[in-house]
Amino acid sequence: MADRTVLVVDDDPDILSIVEQILSFEGYNVLTATNGLEALDLVEQVRPELILLDMRMPVMDGWQFVGRLRAYRDSPVPLLVMTAATDARRRAREVGADGYIAKPFDIEDLLEKVRQHVDAYA
Amino acid sequence: MSSDTPPSARRPGAAAPSEARYYDGSVYPGLKSEPIGEGLRTFARLSGWPVMLAAGNWLGDVGINLTLYNAILLVSLVLVLATQLLFHVHLRCCGVDVLPPMLDIATLFVLSWLSGGIASPLSSAYFLFAIVDTVGLRVRAAVAIAVGYSLSYALVDVAQVGGFRVSDFQAHSIVLHVLYLLWTVVSAGLLAGILRTATRRARAAAQENAILYERSVRTSDDLRSVLNSTENGIFMVDTDRRVRFVSRQMGDLVGTDLSDAVGRYMPVLIRDVLRERFKDPEGFERRLLDLYDHMDEEAVDELEVVGTPPRLLSRYSGPVRDETGRLLGRIEVYSDVTEARAAERLKDEFLSLAAHELKTPITSLKAYAQLLRRKPIEQASPKLLTNALVTIDRQATQLTLLVNDLLDVSRVETGHLYLRLEDVDLSRLVRDLVERMTPEGTGHAVVLEAPEEVWVRADPARVEQVVVNLLTNAIKYSPGGGEVKVSVRRQGDEAVVSVSDRGIGIPKDKLPHIFERFYQAHSTERYSYGGMGLGLYISREIAQRHGGRLWVESEEGRGSTFYFALKAGGREDG
C-alpha cells in the first residue's frame, strides 16, 4: 500500500486521530503531523500521494509549510486544504492547493475527494 | 338785490360798480372798490377760494395788509396740502387703508367747486374729519356740508340777533377763516407730530438694526465656536472656491497648520498644502476638484492620512445653501474613524475566530457520529468505540467551555456577571483542581505548593474558572512540556494563587494587552494556539469583581508567572 500514502496535518489531536481512523479503514497508509515543521520532516522521508493540510497551526502554519514544501520539492504533491474558515475556497487558492475540505466535513465527502486526488495521481 | 343802502355802512366817495348785498338784501358798500367784476363775483360765490379772495378784498377795505394776508393764506394752504399728503402716507405706512392722497384732494376740490360758496368751510371740515378717522368720503362730505352750512348760517343768525348786518359772503368768510385757522394749527401740530413720529421711528429702526447686527455678529461667533468644538474637521468654500471657513480641528486631523487658510483659493491650497498629507495625493486632489465642479453633489468617502500612525478619515461633502435655497458653496466634514474601523475589524475577526473555534469540536463530533453509523456499532472494535466516546465527551466539554466563555463576555459587557459568595479554602480548591487537571502524555508536571489553609470569601465556581484558565494557559504555552508550578499562600491581607510555567513567555510589547478582550499574544490570522482570546479578559473581570487583582510577570522565551490575588478573610477570621 505504499502507493496510497496520505499525510494529514492538523493541530487538533482529535481531528487528526479521527481522520487517521477513517482513512485507515479505507486502506490508506496515513501519516500524521501536528504542525508544519513535523510535516516537513515526514515529507523528507516519505513521499505522500496526498497532503490534507490544516492552515492555522502553532509552530509552523499552513502557509509557511506550503512555501517550504514548494522550495524543497520539484514535482508537486497534491494538496487539499482542510479548514474551518468561512472562506475555505480563498484559502485554498492562496496556497495554490488542488482543493479544499471545509470543516466540519462529511466522511463521504472527505473520502470522495481523497480518492479523486490519489487516483488522479496514480 | 335791492338798491337802498344803509348810510351808516356806506363809505364816502366810493362808487358802486357792482353790488354785494347783505343778508336782508341791502347793498354791501365795501365791495364798491372791489376789482372783480360781476361775473367774477358770481364765480366767487360758486367757489371756495374766490370767496376767500373776496373776503381778502373786504379785509383790505377794512385796512388789513393784503400782501401779508395772501402770504399767510398761501403758507397755510401749502401747509394743509403737505400735511394732508404726509398724513395719508403716514396712515398708509401704519397699514390703514385710505384713498390715495391725490384722489382725496381731487375729490375735495371737485366738491369745493360744485358746492360753491359753502365749499370752503366744507373743505376745511372735510380735512378736519380726514385726520380723525378714515370714514368713507361721502360720510365725511355729508358731515362737512352740514357743519359748514350750520356754522355759516348760524353765524349770520347770531350776528343779526346781535344787531350786526352780515352778508353770506362775510358769514362764509368768517367761518372759513376760523376753520382755516383751526385747520392750519391742527396741520402744523399734525405735521410736527408726524415728523416727530418719523424721527422716533427712524431712531428706533436704527437701534433695532444695531441690535440685530450685534446679534448676527454674536450668532456667527457662536456658530464658529460650535463648529470649532466638534471633533470634526470642517472646510467650507464659496462658489468661487475660496476658503470661507476652516475649523480648528481640520489642521490637527491632517497634521498641518491651516490657521491662515481662510480666503485662499482652494485648488492652490490643495496643491501646495493639503495633497501631500494624504496617502493618495493624486486621487485626493482629483476627487476634491471633481466635487467642486459639481457643487450640487453629495458624497461620502474615506481617505487615509499619512503620519504615524496613519489615520483613516471619513469625509462628507455636500452643497451649502441659505434659507432661500441659494447655493453658497460646499462643505467638507472630515472625521477620524481610525478607532471605529479598528474596533469593527476586531469584532469581525473575533466572530470569524469564534466560528472557527466552535467548528473544531463540531468537526470531531460529526465525524465520529458518521463513522459509527457507517460501521454499525455492533461491528465496531472496542478501541474505536472507546476512542469515539472519549473524544465526543471531551469535545462536547470543549464546546461547552467555548459557549460559556462567550456567555461570560456578554455578561461582563452588560454588567451581569454575578457572584455567589461563600467561605472558601483556596488551598483545598486549588489542590482538587490540580489533581483533576494534571495532563497525561504531554510531558508537563504540575507541582503544587499549598502548605496551609487560606480562607477567602469568594464564588468558588468563578475562582475555579480563573485557576483553570491560568493552568490551561501555562500548559498550552509551554509546548515543550516542563514544570508548571502552582502555589497558594497568604501575603499580607491577600490570598495569592500563582501559576508559573517555563514556556514561551510573552514579548514585552504585548504584555500590556494580554488582558484585553479578543487579544492573543501568540496568534495571528495564520498562526494559532487555539482559543478565542477571552480567558484572561474574563479572569481579570472575575478577579476585579471579587475586589482582587490579576497580574503577570513574564520574560519572552523563559516563561510566565500569573498572580491571582483575593482579599484574605472568611471562616478562620470569624
Side-chain angles (χ1 to χ4, degrees):
Chain A
M1 286 298 211
D3 57 333
R4 302 217 324 162
T5 302
V6 178
L7 170 60
V8 186
V9 193
D10 198 309
D11 64 326
D12 186 301
D14 285 334
I15 291 178
L16 214 52
S17 134
I18 192 166
V19 173
E20 182 181 8
Q21 287 178 64
I22 292 165
L23 294 180
S24 299
F25 288 142
E26 294 300 311
Y28 292 97
N29 184 22
V30 183
L31 299 173
T32 61
T34 57
N35 62 57
L37 210 56
E38 285 177 25
L40 270 183
D41 281 347
L42 283 170
V43 172
E44 270 179 37
Q45 296 157 28
V46 188
R47 187 197 159 92
E49 272 66 52
L50 176 68
I51 299 174
L52 298 182
L53 180 69
D54 184 24
M55 297 305 285
R56 290 184 90 228
M57 290 178 293
V59 187
M60 184 190 279
D61 62 50
W63 289 265
Q64 284 174 317
F65 168 76
V66 173
R68 297 277 285 275
L69 183 73
R70 295 269 148 82
Y72 172 77
R73 282 257 180 201
D74 297 336
S75 55
V77 179
L79 185 74
L80 291 181
V81 164
M82 199 163 56
T83 177
T86 38
D87 47 357
R89 188 195 298 270
R90 203 195 81 205
R91 297 237 149 142
R93 250 204 325 270
E94 271 175 4
V95 294
D98 301 277
Y100 64 90
I101 295 163
K103 290 182 193 170
F105 51 80
D106 281 321
I107 290 183
E108 291 306 334
D109 185 43
L110 172 78
L111 288 174
E112 173 61 30
K113 280 182 173 154
V114 169
R115 212 173 288 133
Q116 227 173 51
H117 284 90
V118 172
D119 291 350
Y121 179 79
Chain B
M1 293 212 177
S2 81
S3 58
D4 59 324
T5 307
S8 61
R10 274 186 180 273
R11 290 241 201 115
S18 57
E19 289 177 323
R21 294 186 182 267
Y22 288 107
Y23 185 56
D24 59 1
S26 55
V27 175
Y28 167 55
L31 286 183
K32 268 186 257 163
S33 61
E34 204 238 311
I36 308 170
E38 187 63 37
L40 264 179
R41 208 174 308 119
T42 312
F43 179 74
R45 283 180 71 92
L46 293 171
S47 72
W49 301 118
V51 165
M52 287 185 74
L53 286 177
N57 283 341
W58 174 59
L59 287 171
D61 283 349
V62 294
I64 290 174
N65 186 334
L66 260 185
T67 318
L68 182 67
Y69 171 81
N70 285 334
I72 293 171
L73 194 67
L74 198 67
V75 168
S76 82
L77 185 67
V78 169
L79 202 64
V80 167
L81 287 177
T83 312
Q84 179 74 1
L85 202 67
L86 271 174
F87 190 68
H88 273 85
V89 173
H90 177 71
L91 286 179
R92 298 209 130 218
C93 289
C94 295
V96 179
D97 195 21
V98 290
L99 283 167
M102 285 341 253
L103 182 61
D104 213 358
I105 289 167
T107 316
L108 180 69
F109 274 93
V110 169
L111 266 176
S112 265
W113 287 103
L114 286 181
S115 54
I118 45 89
S120 288
L122 175 135
S123 65
S124 292
Y126 175 82
F127 275 129
L128 270 178
F129 279 93
I131 62 171
V132 290
D133 63 16
T134 55
V135 185
L137 256 180
R138 262 176 298 180
V139 178
R140 266 187 262 165
V143 174
I145 288 164
V147 170
Y149 268 111
S150 324
L151 275 176
S152 48
Y153 289 106
L155 189 67
V156 171
D157 290 340
V158 166
Q160 274 187 335
V161 170
F164 293 101
R165 289 153 63 89
V166 181
S167 74
D168 285 7
F169 275 0
Q170 285 167 333
H172 289 330
S173 180
I174 289 164
V175 170
L176 171 77
H177 280 84
V178 169
L179 287 177
Y180 223 86
L181 191 67
L182 189 62
W183 175 230
T184 306
V185 170
V186 169
S187 288
L190 251 181
L191 198 60
I194 289 171
L195 285 177
R196 207 172 45 239
T197 312
T199 317
R200 203 167 44 228
R201 188 174 292 172
R203 201 177 297 136
Q207 239 164 22
E208 178 81 5
N209 279 346
I211 291 169
L212 283 177
Y213 175 73
E214 196 192 330
R215 196 180 296 161
S216 82
V217 167
R218 206 183 315 132
T219 306
S220 101
D221 279 352
D222 285 354
L223 279 177
R224 190 169 297 128
S225 306
V226 167
L227 292 176
N228 276 329
S229 307
T230 68
E231 286 177 349
N232 297 331
I234 300 169
F235 249 118
M236 191 208 152
V237 295
D238 59 23
T239 45
D240 294 330
R241 288 152 214 212
R242 292 204 177 271
V243 179
R244 285 281 294 275
F245 174 80
V246 55
S247 79
R248 217 172 288 145
Q249 279 67 27
M250 190 65 229
D252 296 344
L253 279 182
V254 296
T256 182
D257 183 24
L258 290 173
S259 51
D260 62 346
V262 172
R264 292 187 67 179
Y265 188 50
M266 194 62 177
V268 175
L269 191 69
I270 293 171
R271 196 192 61 210
D272 292 353
V273 182
L274 289 175
R275 54 171 275 157
E276 293 314 319
R277 303 306 310 157
F278 290 88
K279 195 181 164 199
D280 174 14
E282 277 79 35
F284 169 74
E285 183 171 8
R286 200 176 339 107
R287 176 83 179 121
L288 201 51
L289 292 181
D290 184 53
L291 286 174
Y292 290 152
D293 285 341
H294 303 90
M295 281 274 174
D296 262 346
E297 250 171 52
E298 279 186 86
V300 176
D301 47 13
E302 286 187 2
L303 309 149
E304 223 173 303
V305 175
V306 292
T308 43
R311 318 286 304 168
L312 190 65
L313 301 187
S314 153
R315 171 176 66 192
Y316 162 81
S317 176
V320 179
R321 298 180 179 284
D322 68 6
E323 282 163 13
T324 62
R326 194 167 57 94
L327 188 72
L328 297 179
R330 249 190 114 72
I331 192 171
E332 275 116 50
V333 182
Y334 293 84
S335 49
D336 191 333
V337 292
T338 317
E339 267 83 41
R341 290 288 174 280
E344 271 170 36
R345 203 168 47 240
L346 196 65
K347 199 120 205 164
D348 287 348
E349 279 171 15
F350 171 72
L351 278 177
S352 99
L353 181 68
H356 187 278
E357 287 301 312
L358 291 169
K359 274 181 187 173
T360 304
I362 292 171
T363 305
S364 296
L365 294 176
K366 184 168 172 172
Y368 268 116
Q370 288 187 5
L371 190 62
L372 291 177
R373 209 174 66 190
R374 265 169 68 90
K375 205 173 177 63
I377 287 183
E378 54 271 21
Q379 288 176 28
S381 71
K383 185 171 168 259
L384 172 64
L385 270 179
T386 314
N387 266 351
L389 292 174
V390 168
T391 307
I392 286 169
D393 184 39
R394 185 171 51 234
Q395 294 295 358
T397 308
Q398 175 64 16
L399 209 49
T400 312
L401 289 176
L402 288 170
V403 172
N404 280 345
D405 274 359
L406 288 174
L407 282 176
D408 280 346
V409 169
S410 149
R411 283 191 190 114
V412 167
E413 310 264 289
T414 54
H416 288 96
L417 186 75
Y418 299 119
L419 302 177
R420 287 196 198 91
L421 296 179
E422 48 189 86
D423 294 325
V424 180
D425 176 7
L426 204 55
S427 289
R428 191 193 161 121
L429 184 144
V430 174
R431 196 179 305 124
D432 290 351
L433 259 181
V434 167
E435 274 167 25
R436 227 165 54 213
M437 276 194 56
T438 298
E440 286 163 25
T442 56
H444 292 91
V446 181
V447 179
L448 176 69
E449 223 177 87
E452 47 172 357
E453 289 186 355
V454 179
W455 287 90
V456 289
R457 185 102 186 126
D459 182 333
R462 291 295 182 187
V463 170
E464 196 177 303
Q465 191 181 348
V466 175
V467 179
V468 167
N469 179 240
L470 296 181
L471 259 173
T472 314
N473 280 348
I475 292 164
K476 186 159 109 184
Y477 292 109
S478 49
E483 193 181 76
V484 174
K485 215 153 88 184
V486 182
S487 87
V488 184
R489 63 186 182 281
R490 251 190 98 133
Q491 216 170 344
D493 58 354
E494 279 182 326
V496 181
V497 182
S498 70
V499 180
S500 315
D501 64 64
R502 294 181 191 161
I504 56 177
I506 302 160
K508 226 188 190 90
D509 59 316
K510 294 184 171 168
L511 264 181
H513 302 293
I514 61 167
F515 295 105
E516 286 171 13
R517 193 172 52 150
F518 310 149
Y519 192 83
Q520 289 182 303
H522 292 284
S523 281
T524 62
E525 195 199 347
R526 303 177 164 189
Y527 188 86
S528 166
Y529 277 86
M532 293 188 287
L534 294 176
L536 286 176
Y537 169 71
I538 295 167
S539 294
R540 174 169 269 193
E541 273 304 311
I542 292 172
Q544 286 172 347
R545 265 310 145 83
H546 279 91
R549 304 183 287 150
L550 182 67
W551 73 100
V552 66
E553 287 166 6
S554 181
E555 200 179 324
E556 193 174 6
R558 316 238 359 209
S560 312
T561 303
F562 282 84
Y563 298 92
F564 173 36
L566 293 171
K567 224 187 206 85
R571 184 166 296 169
E572 55 165 4
D573 296 343

